[in-house]
């Protein structure tokens, strides 16, 4: 067959490594017998016969097979189609209709720029070897959607809405609906879109590479919402790997790995009032009591305990429960797609896809929407520190170390067996920063808790000598990651004022929650891991030994105001053999419950925002298991009901009393009354609101010995109401207390002008408020 195509262009198209198959396939202007004509070419390996259909003119012209692999072309009179405004390159060649039996290279005459017809001016009618016949638009007749400005911003690392351009997006072009696919893989030899719509045949839809950006793109007509797809990535050397879309919005339920075309804009939100008032709900001088939860194990279907409940099933129950318990926010363990359920979501493959285990993206949006309408904020865990090695994920995406470092001393995490992002690469930074903004934009989340920040900050994190590479100054600080975290916080706070960013950072790095303009990392809050570890270690000890460890309680106030701290009792405290919080408490059954209530009372009175993992609020006995429901049946026992009621009342008190939440991050909001009574294991202190006359007195007795007539200093001689007592019979306690209140005497005590003689119940905390 005589063809206009140079022989050198056929192999790359047929074997899937042509960087721009549009140079060969689709419509091309040619000059034929002194006039312009349209050469239409298509690569259809499974076709038996192909026609070019011009519905506007009622014509159908057969295409000729010019290569046995399935390359077809036809010549159509240009006048049948009219002209268009889009420029193209013309092949000045011999007729396509010559009937020579061998392939003849085209001459090398210089091209002439003419104008091809619109993409919709023709269709392809294909009869396949199977006997089926379909009519379709030619994907190689459509222009690229990505602009030079998009590609510039992506390469620069500042395309904050890259998720609106890369990935799979529904588009209408010249009246034809379909999906535009785009993926960054600069070192790939070729990429094809595979899916249900082409029988997973990588020969059908080879993509065009934008040079030098390395972004591949293709618009495929008539691909519907719900279609399954992947990218077939051909590495240098010919190895082909099927990869998930890094920007995919939805995926199959694991262990299946295909992405699913989804329209995120189809959901209609009803939380405008919440969004307007979010800065007040998330204010650092307001109450923030966070309920951390794992969606897959909060509750299960009693009739089918192996089944995950859906977002839609959980949302109404969760709203009702959080209202009952007076939590202000819910924090979800990672909801991005992850292959291994046992990772709890912390080994993410689909950073832009909400996990399909519990429903569709729209189901998760509805989940967030319902919580917002109920006045409850939603925080999600975000994991930019590492990603897993699964073949369908980001690792060696285009055959090279694209998202990670090539050197394992910088690119692999030794503890978790995962890969570390290359934060110094613009496109990788853009991928992650855009992802953070994506969850705020598309899912309306109110905060991002950033996991494993310490592992990002230090090049030698969990590494021995010789296992890490110093930075350019010879230090151990990961300068690229530090810059990334600062930029993350700057963009989040700039574009979404009032959103919280929370760092899980376990070292003494300074300024984690200080603004970047004073040298900080810019987070809103930092988890107080020091308080958590010291307090748990203290509470694990038998009360008779606690007096020798009194400093483990008081030490936290030495650094309590160096950061904006959140006090966490998270999932990490109830896994890996640690047991539940209740089971970690010493003593007999009664003392275990009393110790747990005391721990919560002390935590809620201590400066800092609050976070508690699910199950702790009612005293679950078992260590948390992500494959089982919480032990809700325990609530038939009064002791568990008591813990739950105490925590609900603590949350209500915390929100009601400005002294407990307004000044969490400054000495102005805290005063010791007596921190030195180590012999009795008693602490007493004052919490103050912005108005110093609005305060409460907090007293903790960490022994089972009741202390009647215990003297503590008071700022004034007035009546003090007992507004909280963890030993109340309503909470399962012994009901020892101060009869509703006590009068302070005008006697100096602890350097203060008045004295309170209080009754301190065993293993309990009481809170007193002046009533003048």
């Amino acid at each position: 067959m005589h063809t206009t195509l140079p022989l050198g262009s056929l192999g790359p198209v047929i074997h899937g490594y042509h960087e721009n198959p549009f140079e060969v396939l689709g419509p091309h202007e040619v000059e034929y017998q002194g006039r312009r004509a349209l050469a239409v070419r298509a690569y259809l390996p499974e076709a038996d016969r192909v026609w070019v259909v011009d519905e506007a003119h009622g014509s159908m012209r057969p295409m000729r097979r010019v290569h046995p692999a399935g390359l077809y072309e036809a010549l159509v009179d240009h006048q049948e189609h009219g002209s268009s405004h889009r420029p193209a390159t013309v092949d000045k060649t011999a007729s396509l209709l010559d009937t020579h039996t061998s392939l003849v290279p085209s001459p090398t005459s210089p091209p002439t720029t003419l104008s091809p017809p619109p993409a919709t001016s023709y269709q392809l009618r294909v009869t396949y070897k199977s006997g089926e016949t379909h009519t379709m638009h030619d994907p190689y007749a459509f222009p690229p959607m990505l602009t030079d400005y998009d590609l510039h911003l992506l390469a620069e690392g500042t395309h904050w809405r890259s998720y609106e351009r890369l990935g799979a997006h529904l588009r209408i072009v010249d009246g034809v609906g379909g999906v535009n696919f785009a993926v960054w893989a600069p070192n790939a030899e070729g990429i094809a879109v595979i899916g249900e719509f082409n029988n997973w045949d990588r020969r059908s839809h080879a993509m065009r590479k934008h040079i030098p950006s390395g972004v591949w793109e293709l618009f495929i007509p008539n691909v519907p919402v719900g279609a399954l797809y992947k990218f077939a990535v051909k590495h240098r050397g010919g190895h082909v790997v099927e990869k998930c879309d890094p920007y995919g919005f939805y995926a199959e339920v694991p262990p299946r790995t295909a992405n699913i075309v989804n329209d995120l804009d189809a959901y209609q939100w009803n939380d405008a009032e919440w969004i307007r008032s979010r800065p007040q709900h998330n204010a650092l001088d307001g109450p923030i009591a966070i309920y951390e939860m794992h969606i897959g194990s909060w509750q299960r279907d009693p009739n089918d305990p192996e089944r995950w409940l859906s977002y839609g099933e959980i949302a109404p129950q969760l709203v009702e429960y959080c209202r009952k318990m007076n939590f202000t926010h819910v924090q979800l363990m990672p909801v991005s797609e992850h292959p291994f359920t046992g990772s709890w979501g912390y080994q993410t493959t689909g950073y832009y896809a909400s996990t399909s285990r519990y429903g569709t993206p729209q189901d998760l949006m509805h989940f967030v929407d319902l919580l917002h309408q109920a006045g409850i904020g939603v925080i999600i865990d975000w994991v930019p520190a590492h990603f897993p090695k699964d073949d369908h994920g980001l690792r060696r995406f285009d055959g090279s170390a694209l998202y990670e470092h090539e050197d394992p001393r910088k690119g692999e995490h030794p503890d978790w067996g995962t890969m570390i992002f290359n934060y110094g690469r613009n496109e990788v930074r853009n991928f992650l920063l855009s992802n953070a903004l994506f969850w705020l934009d598309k899912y309306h989340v109110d905060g991002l808790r950033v996991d494993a920040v310490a592992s990002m900050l230090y090049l030698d994190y969990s590494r021995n000598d010789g296992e890490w590479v110093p930075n350019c100054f010879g230090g151990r600080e990961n300068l690229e990651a530090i810059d990334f975290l600062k930029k993350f916080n700057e963009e989040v706070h700039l574009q979404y004022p009032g959103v919280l960013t929370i760092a899980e950072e376990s070292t003494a790095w300074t300024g984690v929650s200080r603004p970047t303009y004073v040298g900080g990392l810019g987070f809103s809050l930092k988890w107080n891991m020091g308080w958590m570890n010291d307090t748990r270690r203290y509470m694990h000890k038998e009360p008779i030994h606690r007096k020798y460890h009194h400093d483990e309680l008081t030490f936290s106030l030495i650094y309590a105001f160096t950061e904006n701290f959140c006090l966490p009792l998270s999932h990490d405290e109830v896994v890996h053999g640690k047991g539940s919080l209740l089971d970690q408490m010493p003593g007999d059954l009664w003392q275990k419950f009393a110790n747990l209530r005391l721990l919560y009372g002390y935590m809620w009175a201590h400066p800092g925002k609050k976070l508690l993992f699910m199950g702790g609020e009612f005293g679950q006995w078992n260590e948390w298991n992500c494959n089982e429901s919480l032990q809700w049946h325990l609530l038939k026992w009064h002791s568990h009901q008591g813990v739950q009621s105490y925590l609900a009342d603590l949350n209500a008190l915390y929100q009601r009393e400005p002294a407990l939440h307004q000044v969490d991050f400054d000495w102005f909001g805290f005063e010791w009354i007596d921190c030195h009574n180590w012999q009795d294991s008693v602490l007493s202190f004052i919490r103050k609101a912005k108005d110093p006359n609005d305060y409460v007195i907090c007293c903790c007795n960490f022994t089972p010995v009741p202390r009647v007539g215990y003297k503590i200093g008071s700022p004034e001689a007035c009546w003090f109401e007992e507004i909280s007592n963890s030993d109340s019979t309503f909470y399962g306690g012994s009901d020892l207390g101060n009869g509703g209140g006590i009068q302070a005497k005008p006697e100096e005590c602890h350097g203060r002008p008045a004295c309170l003689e209080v009754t301190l119940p065993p293993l309990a905390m009481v809170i007193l408020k002046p009533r003048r």
Side-chain angles (χ1 to χ4, degrees), residues 637-660:
W637 302 100
H638 178 63
S639 52
H640 293 277
Q641 294 173 16
V643 173
Q644 186 186 54
S645 296
Y646 179 58
L647 197 70
D649 289 348
L650 261 184
N651 275 330
L653 180 69
Y654 172 64
Q655 295 181 51
R656 187 169 64 246
E657 291 295 335
L660 292 176

PDB file of all heavy atoms in Angstrom, residues 637-660:
ATOM      1  N   TRP A 637     -23.031  -1.695  81.348  1.00  0.00           N
ATOM      2  CA  TRP A 637     -22.497  -1.654  82.700  1.00  0.00           C
ATOM      3  C   TRP A 637     -22.381  -0.209  83.162  1.00  0.00           C
ATOM      4  O   TRP A 637     -21.943   0.669  82.426  1.00  0.00           O
ATOM      5  CB  TRP A 637     -21.119  -2.322  82.747  1.00  0.00           C
ATOM      6  CG  TRP A 637     -21.135  -3.753  82.282  1.00  0.00           C
ATOM      7  CD1 TRP A 637     -20.768  -4.234  81.067  1.00  0.00           C
ATOM      8  CD2 TRP A 637     -21.578  -4.873  83.036  1.00  0.00           C
ATOM      9  NE1 TRP A 637     -20.933  -5.584  81.007  1.00  0.00           N
ATOM     10  CE2 TRP A 637     -21.426  -6.017  82.210  1.00  0.00           C
ATOM     11  CE3 TRP A 637     -22.073  -5.050  84.340  1.00  0.00           C
ATOM     12  CZ2 TRP A 637     -21.760  -7.305  82.632  1.00  0.00           C
ATOM     13  CZ3 TRP A 637     -22.394  -6.329  84.753  1.00  0.00           C
ATOM     14  CH2 TRP A 637     -22.247  -7.429  83.912  1.00  0.00           C
ATOM     15  N   HIS A 638     -22.746   0.027  84.416  1.00  0.00           N
ATOM     16  CA  HIS A 638     -22.762   1.386  84.959  1.00  0.00           C
ATOM     17  C   HIS A 638     -21.366   2.007  84.972  1.00  0.00           C
ATOM     18  O   HIS A 638     -21.212   3.212  84.773  1.00  0.00           O
ATOM     19  CB  HIS A 638     -23.338   1.378  86.384  1.00  0.00           C
ATOM     20  CG  HIS A 638     -23.345   2.737  87.017  1.00  0.00           C
ATOM     21  ND1 HIS A 638     -24.081   3.798  86.518  1.00  0.00           N
ATOM     22  CD2 HIS A 638     -22.685   3.216  88.109  1.00  0.00           C
ATOM     23  CE1 HIS A 638     -23.883   4.860  87.269  1.00  0.00           C
ATOM     24  NE2 HIS A 638     -23.039   4.537  88.246  1.00  0.00           N
ATOM     25  N   SER A 639     -20.336   1.204  85.185  1.00  0.00           N
ATOM     26  CA  SER A 639     -18.979   1.744  85.241  1.00  0.00           C
ATOM     27  C   SER A 639     -18.577   2.354  83.909  1.00  0.00           C
ATOM     28  O   SER A 639     -17.943   3.420  83.861  1.00  0.00           O
ATOM     29  CB  SER A 639     -18.001   0.638  85.652  1.00  0.00           C
ATOM     30  OG  SER A 639     -18.162  -0.511  84.825  1.00  0.00           O
ATOM     31  N   HIS A 640     -18.931   1.703  82.827  1.00  0.00           N
ATOM     32  CA  HIS A 640     -18.600   2.239  81.502  1.00  0.00           C
ATOM     33  C   HIS A 640     -19.501   3.421  81.163  1.00  0.00           C
ATOM     34  O   HIS A 640     -19.051   4.399  80.547  1.00  0.00           O
ATOM     35  CB  HIS A 640     -18.729   1.140  80.448  1.00  0.00           C
ATOM     36  CG  HIS A 640     -17.717   0.046  80.593  1.00  0.00           C
ATOM     37  ND1 HIS A 640     -16.436   0.130  80.088  1.00  0.00           N
ATOM     38  CD2 HIS A 640     -17.799  -1.163  81.215  1.00  0.00           C
ATOM     39  CE1 HIS A 640     -15.770  -0.979  80.374  1.00  0.00           C
ATOM     40  NE2 HIS A 640     -16.570  -1.785  81.069  1.00  0.00           N
ATOM     41  N   GLN A 641     -20.755   3.334  81.548  1.00  0.00           N
ATOM     42  CA  GLN A 641     -21.650   4.469  81.362  1.00  0.00           C
ATOM     43  C   GLN A 641     -21.114   5.693  82.105  1.00  0.00           C
ATOM     44  O   GLN A 641     -21.208   6.823  81.617  1.00  0.00           O
ATOM     45  CB  GLN A 641     -23.052   4.135  81.880  1.00  0.00           C
ATOM     46  CG  GLN A 641     -23.780   3.052  81.116  1.00  0.00           C
ATOM     47  CD  GLN A 641     -25.080   2.668  81.798  1.00  0.00           C
ATOM     48  OE1 GLN A 641     -25.587   3.394  82.672  1.00  0.00           O
ATOM     49  NE2 GLN A 641     -25.644   1.527  81.427  1.00  0.00           N
ATOM     50  N   GLY A 642     -20.545   5.432  83.285  1.00  0.00           N
ATOM     51  CA  GLY A 642     -20.041   6.535  84.091  1.00  0.00           C
ATOM     52  C   GLY A 642     -18.886   7.257  83.426  1.00  0.00           C
ATOM     53  O   GLY A 642     -18.817   8.495  83.420  1.00  0.00           O
ATOM     54  N   VAL A 643     -17.943   6.508  82.855  1.00  0.00           N
ATOM     55  CA  VAL A 643     -16.830   7.135  82.137  1.00  0.00           C
ATOM     56  C   VAL A 643     -17.355   7.947  80.972  1.00  0.00           C
ATOM     57  O   VAL A 643     -16.928   9.093  80.735  1.00  0.00           O
ATOM     58  CB  VAL A 643     -15.832   6.060  81.645  1.00  0.00           C
ATOM     59  CG1 VAL A 643     -14.759   6.696  80.751  1.00  0.00           C
ATOM     60  CG2 VAL A 643     -15.179   5.358  82.817  1.00  0.00           C
ATOM     61  N   GLN A 644     -18.302   7.378  80.235  1.00  0.00           N
ATOM     62  CA  GLN A 644     -18.863   8.084  79.080  1.00  0.00           C
ATOM     63  C   GLN A 644     -19.569   9.367  79.512  1.00  0.00           C
ATOM     64  O   GLN A 644     -19.394  10.430  78.897  1.00  0.00           O
ATOM     65  CB  GLN A 644     -19.835   7.156  78.344  1.00  0.00           C
ATOM     66  CG  GLN A 644     -20.362   7.733  77.039  1.00  0.00           C
ATOM     67  CD  GLN A 644     -21.428   6.853  76.414  1.00  0.00           C
ATOM     68  OE1 GLN A 644     -22.414   6.510  77.071  1.00  0.00           O
ATOM     69  NE2 GLN A 644     -21.239   6.493  75.152  1.00  0.00           N
ATOM     70  N   SER A 645     -20.355   9.288  80.584  1.00  0.00           N
ATOM     71  CA  SER A 645     -21.064  10.475  81.068  1.00  0.00           C
ATOM     72  C   SER A 645     -20.099  11.537  81.573  1.00  0.00           C
ATOM     73  O   SER A 645     -20.300  12.743  81.339  1.00  0.00           O
ATOM     74  CB  SER A 645     -22.028  10.090  82.189  1.00  0.00           C
ATOM     75  OG  SER A 645     -23.029   9.220  81.710  1.00  0.00           O
ATOM     76  N   TYR A 646     -19.039  11.095  82.251  1.00  0.00           N
ATOM     77  CA  TYR A 646     -18.064  12.056  82.756  1.00  0.00           C
ATOM     78  C   TYR A 646     -17.392  12.799  81.611  1.00  0.00           C
ATOM     79  O   TYR A 646     -17.226  14.029  81.647  1.00  0.00           O
ATOM     80  CB  TYR A 646     -17.015  11.343  83.606  1.00  0.00           C
ATOM     81  CG  TYR A 646     -15.949  12.258  84.150  1.00  0.00           C
ATOM     82  CD1 TYR A 646     -16.277  13.354  84.959  1.00  0.00           C
ATOM     83  CD2 TYR A 646     -14.609  12.044  83.858  1.00  0.00           C
ATOM     84  CE1 TYR A 646     -15.299  14.203  85.454  1.00  0.00           C
ATOM     85  CE2 TYR A 646     -13.617  12.883  84.370  1.00  0.00           C
ATOM     86  CZ  TYR A 646     -13.977  13.971  85.160  1.00  0.00           C
ATOM     87  OH  TYR A 646     -13.003  14.822  85.658  1.00  0.00           O
ATOM     88  N   LEU A 647     -17.024  12.067  80.551  1.00  0.00           N
ATOM     89  CA  LEU A 647     -16.353  12.726  79.436  1.00  0.00           C
ATOM     90  C   LEU A 647     -17.302  13.682  78.714  1.00  0.00           C
ATOM     91  O   LEU A 647     -16.902  14.773  78.299  1.00  0.00           O
ATOM     92  CB  LEU A 647     -15.788  11.697  78.455  1.00  0.00           C
ATOM     93  CG  LEU A 647     -14.746  12.282  77.525  1.00  0.00           C
ATOM     94  CD1 LEU A 647     -13.471  12.613  78.276  1.00  0.00           C
ATOM     95  CD2 LEU A 647     -14.439  11.343  76.375  1.00  0.00           C
ATOM     96  N   ALA A 648     -18.562  13.289  78.547  1.00  0.00           N
ATOM     97  CA  ALA A 648     -19.537  14.186  77.920  1.00  0.00           C
ATOM     98  C   ALA A 648     -19.689  15.465  78.738  1.00  0.00           C
ATOM     99  O   ALA A 648     -19.733  16.573  78.191  1.00  0.00           O
ATOM    100  CB  ALA A 648     -20.881  13.480  77.771  1.00  0.00           C
ATOM    101  N   ASP A 649     -19.747  15.319  80.075  1.00  0.00           N
ATOM    102  CA  ASP A 649     -19.884  16.495  80.937  1.00  0.00           C
ATOM    103  C   ASP A 649     -18.602  17.326  80.943  1.00  0.00           C
ATOM    104  O   ASP A 649     -18.652  18.565  81.023  1.00  0.00           O
ATOM    105  CB  ASP A 649     -20.239  16.062  82.362  1.00  0.00           C
ATOM    106  CG  ASP A 649     -21.659  15.541  82.471  1.00  0.00           C
ATOM    107  OD1 ASP A 649     -22.434  15.718  81.507  1.00  0.00           O
ATOM    108  OD2 ASP A 649     -21.998  14.938  83.515  1.00  0.00           O
ATOM    109  N   LEU A 650     -17.442  16.657  80.868  1.00  0.00           N
ATOM    110  CA  LEU A 650     -16.174  17.389  80.777  1.00  0.00           C
ATOM    111  C   LEU A 650     -16.137  18.255  79.521  1.00  0.00           C
ATOM    112  O   LEU A 650     -15.735  19.422  79.560  1.00  0.00           O
ATOM    113  CB  LEU A 650     -15.002  16.414  80.741  1.00  0.00           C
ATOM    114  CG  LEU A 650     -14.220  16.126  82.021  1.00  0.00           C
ATOM    115  CD1 LEU A 650     -13.051  15.209  81.705  1.00  0.00           C
ATOM    116  CD2 LEU A 650     -13.734  17.400  82.692  1.00  0.00           C
ATOM    117  N   ASN A 651     -16.559  17.670  78.388  1.00  0.00           N
ATOM    118  CA  ASN A 651     -16.586  18.431  77.145  1.00  0.00           C
ATOM    119  C   ASN A 651     -17.532  19.622  77.237  1.00  0.00           C
ATOM    120  O   ASN A 651     -17.228  20.716  76.747  1.00  0.00           O
ATOM    121  CB  ASN A 651     -16.999  17.529  75.977  1.00  0.00           C
ATOM    122  CG  ASN A 651     -15.831  16.771  75.376  1.00  0.00           C
ATOM    123  OD1 ASN A 651     -14.700  17.243  75.389  1.00  0.00           O
ATOM    124  ND2 ASN A 651     -16.111  15.587  74.835  1.00  0.00           N
ATOM    125  N   ALA A 652     -18.677  19.406  77.860  1.00  0.00           N
ATOM    126  CA  ALA A 652     -19.626  20.509  78.012  1.00  0.00           C
ATOM    127  C   ALA A 652     -19.047  21.597  78.902  1.00  0.00           C
ATOM    128  O   ALA A 652     -19.171  22.800  78.626  1.00  0.00           O
ATOM    129  CB  ALA A 652     -20.944  19.987  78.584  1.00  0.00           C
ATOM    130  N   LEU A 653     -18.403  21.196  80.007  1.00  0.00           N
ATOM    131  CA  LEU A 653     -17.773  22.155  80.908  1.00  0.00           C
ATOM    132  C   LEU A 653     -16.639  22.900  80.203  1.00  0.00           C
ATOM    133  O   LEU A 653     -16.491  24.119  80.335  1.00  0.00           O
ATOM    134  CB  LEU A 653     -17.238  21.428  82.142  1.00  0.00           C
ATOM    135  CG  LEU A 653     -16.541  22.287  83.198  1.00  0.00           C
ATOM    136  CD1 LEU A 653     -17.555  23.186  83.903  1.00  0.00           C
ATOM    137  CD2 LEU A 653     -15.817  21.402  84.220  1.00  0.00           C
ATOM    138  N   TYR A 654     -15.866  22.163  79.441  1.00  0.00           N
ATOM    139  CA  TYR A 654     -14.740  22.729  78.692  1.00  0.00           C
ATOM    140  C   TYR A 654     -15.218  23.820  77.731  1.00  0.00           C
ATOM    141  O   TYR A 654     -14.582  24.876  77.587  1.00  0.00           O
ATOM    142  CB  TYR A 654     -14.048  21.589  77.958  1.00  0.00           C
ATOM    143  CG  TYR A 654     -12.977  21.976  76.976  1.00  0.00           C
ATOM    144  CD1 TYR A 654     -11.808  22.609  77.381  1.00  0.00           C
ATOM    145  CD2 TYR A 654     -13.118  21.668  75.615  1.00  0.00           C
ATOM    146  CE1 TYR A 654     -10.806  22.932  76.463  1.00  0.00           C
ATOM    147  CE2 TYR A 654     -12.124  21.977  74.701  1.00  0.00           C
ATOM    148  CZ  TYR A 654     -10.985  22.617  75.126  1.00  0.00           C
ATOM    149  OH  TYR A 654     -10.007  22.936  74.222  1.00  0.00           O
ATOM    150  N   GLN A 655     -16.337  23.585  77.081  1.00  0.00           N
ATOM    151  CA  GLN A 655     -16.871  24.587  76.161  1.00  0.00           C
ATOM    152  C   GLN A 655     -17.525  25.750  76.899  1.00  0.00           C
ATOM    153  O   GLN A 655     -17.457  26.891  76.444  1.00  0.00           O
ATOM    154  CB  GLN A 655     -17.898  23.934  75.222  1.00  0.00           C
ATOM    155  CG  GLN A 655     -17.306  22.889  74.296  1.00  0.00           C
ATOM    156  CD  GLN A 655     -18.342  22.275  73.376  1.00  0.00           C
ATOM    157  OE1 GLN A 655     -19.097  22.973  72.703  1.00  0.00           O
ATOM    158  NE2 GLN A 655     -18.407  20.948  73.344  1.00  0.00           N
ATOM    159  N   ARG A 656     -18.123  25.440  78.040  1.00  0.00           N
ATOM    160  CA  ARG A 656     -18.869  26.461  78.781  1.00  0.00           C
ATOM    161  C   ARG A 656     -17.959  27.414  79.533  1.00  0.00           C
ATOM    162  O   ARG A 656     -18.294  28.596  79.705  1.00  0.00           O
ATOM    163  CB  ARG A 656     -19.819  25.749  79.754  1.00  0.00           C
ATOM    164  CG  ARG A 656     -20.789  26.656  80.475  1.00  0.00           C
ATOM    165  CD  ARG A 656     -21.845  25.849  81.206  1.00  0.00           C
ATOM    166  NE  ARG A 656     -21.290  25.012  82.274  1.00  0.00           N
ATOM    167  CZ  ARG A 656     -21.292  23.680  82.258  1.00  0.00           C
ATOM    168  NH1 ARG A 656     -21.782  23.025  81.223  1.00  0.00           N
ATOM    169  NH2 ARG A 656     -20.779  23.001  83.284  1.00  0.00           N
ATOM    170  N   GLU A 657     -16.799  26.928  79.987  1.00  0.00           N
ATOM    171  CA  GLU A 657     -15.930  27.734  80.834  1.00  0.00           C
ATOM    172  C   GLU A 657     -14.768  28.333  80.024  1.00  0.00           C
ATOM    173  O   GLU A 657     -13.853  27.617  79.626  1.00  0.00           O
ATOM    174  CB  GLU A 657     -15.361  26.887  81.974  1.00  0.00           C
ATOM    175  CG  GLU A 657     -16.388  26.467  82.995  1.00  0.00           C
ATOM    176  CD  GLU A 657     -16.972  27.660  83.749  1.00  0.00           C
ATOM    177  OE1 GLU A 657     -16.284  28.705  83.844  1.00  0.00           O
ATOM    178  OE2 GLU A 657     -18.099  27.535  84.239  1.00  0.00           O
ATOM    179  N   PRO A 658     -14.774  29.620  79.753  1.00  0.00           N
ATOM    180  CA  PRO A 658     -13.661  30.240  79.015  1.00  0.00           C
ATOM    181  C   PRO A 658     -12.303  30.002  79.673  1.00  0.00           C
ATOM    182  O   PRO A 658     -11.286  29.922  78.981  1.00  0.00           O
ATOM    183  CB  PRO A 658     -14.028  31.727  79.017  1.00  0.00           C
ATOM    184  CG  PRO A 658     -15.511  31.768  79.214  1.00  0.00           C
ATOM    185  CD  PRO A 658     -15.831  30.600  80.091  1.00  0.00           C
ATOM    186  N   ALA A 659     -12.285  29.857  80.993  1.00  0.00           N
ATOM    187  CA  ALA A 659     -11.016  29.650  81.684  1.00  0.00           C
ATOM    188  C   ALA A 659     -10.322  28.372  81.246  1.00  0.00           C
ATOM    189  O   ALA A 659      -9.091  28.259  81.346  1.00  0.00           O
ATOM    190  CB  ALA A 659     -11.250  29.625  83.198  1.00  0.00           C
ATOM    191  N   LEU A 660     -11.080  27.411  80.743  1.00  0.00           N
ATOM    192  CA  LEU A 660     -10.500  26.126  80.360  1.00  0.00           C
ATOM    193  C   LEU A 660     -10.032  26.085  78.908  1.00  0.00           C
ATOM    194  O   LEU A 660      -9.426  25.090  78.493  1.00  0.00           O
ATOM    195  CB  LEU A 660     -11.506  25.002  80.617  1.00  0.00           C
ATOM    196  CG  LEU A 660     -11.826  24.708  82.092  1.00  0.00           C
ATOM    197  CD1 LEU A 660     -12.906  23.641  82.203  1.00  0.00           C
ATOM    198  CD2 LEU A 660     -10.567  24.281  82.851  1.00  0.00           C
TER     199      LEU A 660
END
